[in-house]
Amino acid sequence: MSRVVSRGTSAVSGMIGGAIAGAIFKQVWKFASGKDDAPQATSDEYGWREILVASAIQGAIFGVVKAAIDRSAARSIHRATGK
């Protein structure tokens, strides 16, 4: 039973984490570049450098948010189930 709860919690926390990380990235990119939208990898408007910097920032933010949410969910499950 706790395995089913754990998987469900993981799926929901992943979706919430993605939304949070996306919102954080959008604000960070707007502050750092002064532009509203981050470059898309397929866009001809931007050079390699800008695309790779945006991707690195986005990856770092997503990684940190995912780790924080996963850790918080694991601790909550452990407190609730004792496992």
Side-chain angles (χ1 to χ4, degrees):
M1 177 72 168
S2 67
R3 188 171 184 102
V4 172
V5 171
S6 176
R7 286 183 189 223
T9 302
S10 178
V12 170
S13 67
M15 287 185 272
I16 292 169
I20 292 169
I24 291 170
F25 171 69
K26 187 171 185 170
Q27 293 303 313
V28 168
W29 184 256
K30 187 185 290 188
F31 176 77
S33 72
K35 299 177 183 175
D36 286 337
D37 295 323
Q40 298 296 316
T42 57
S43 176
D44 289 336
E45 296 175 38
Y46 303 97
W48 277 95
R49 182 178 178 179
E50 196 168 22
I51 290 171
L52 294 178
V53 167
S55 295
I57 293 169
Q58 186 177 31
I61 291 170
F62 272 82
V64 169
V65 169
K66 182 178 178 352
I69 289 175
D70 286 350
R71 177 67 178 167
S72 178
R75 293 189 79 191
S76 296
I77 291 170
H78 177 72
R79 283 190 205 123
T81 65
K83 294 183 183 181

